[in-house]
Amino acid sequence: QAQLVESGGGLVQPGGSLRLSCAASGSIFRLYTMGWYRQAPGKQRELVAAITSGGSTNYADSVKGRFTISRDNAKNTVYLQMNSLKPEDTAVYYCHASLQWRQYWGQGTQVTVSS
């Protein structure tokens, strides 16, 4: 029974920062590729950032240079540091874990960027 629990969402002004956290309950967390997705109303879900078991990362072009994904395998936790936030970053952000055919999703956390 895998479980992903997210925290850190909220309201922030343009140019501000937020740090999202995702805590996993699985015993083989270190083997999973972890990612953050987001979905805004009327828009398709998109991959924001991902990090492999070996620490390799990739980002959507829209967030490169502003967002940083990281993981702490000792704590079974993945993070998304979001800086220089823009109104177009407003969305529900979802934590995702993947290992071969296995996929797990968090409940989602709202991020709103507005003045």
Side-chain angles (χ1 to χ4, degrees):
Q1 181 79 352
Q3 185 177 10
L4 303 175
V5 180
E6 299 157 314
S7 62
L11 174 65
V12 65
Q13 294 185 346
S17 298
L18 284 174
R19 190 192 195 200
L20 305 183
S21 298
C22 174
S25 62
S27 62
I28 54 172
F29 171 85
R30 61 182 175 85
L31 301 179
Y32 279 74
T33 292
M34 304 297 299
W36 290 94
Y37 290 74
R38 68 185 181 188
Q39 187 165 25
K43 302 290 183 63
Q44 296 186 44
R45 183 184 63 187
E46 64 175 348
L47 176 66
V48 176
I51 183 167
T52 69
S53 60
S56 179
T57 61
N58 65 80
Y59 300 90
D61 288 342
S62 60
V63 308
K64 285 180 180 177
R66 300 188 297 121
F67 291 10
T68 303
I69 189 171
S70 61
R71 68 193 297 161
D72 186 340
N73 289 338
K75 296 182 177 180
N76 279 18
T77 302
V78 63
Y79 306 94
L80 185 67
Q81 179 67 47
M82 304 185 293
N83 299 326
S84 302
L85 283 161
K86 306 174 180 179
E88 50 262 46
D89 295 318
T90 296
V92 177
Y93 284 70
Y94 297 92
C95 182
H96 178 260
S98 176
L99 179 61
Q100 296 183 359
W101 54 268
R102 305 177 191 180
Q103 295 189 52
Y104 303 96
W105 292 93
Q107 78 285 355
T109 184
Q110 177 70 48
V111 172
T112 302
V113 185
S114 176
S115 59

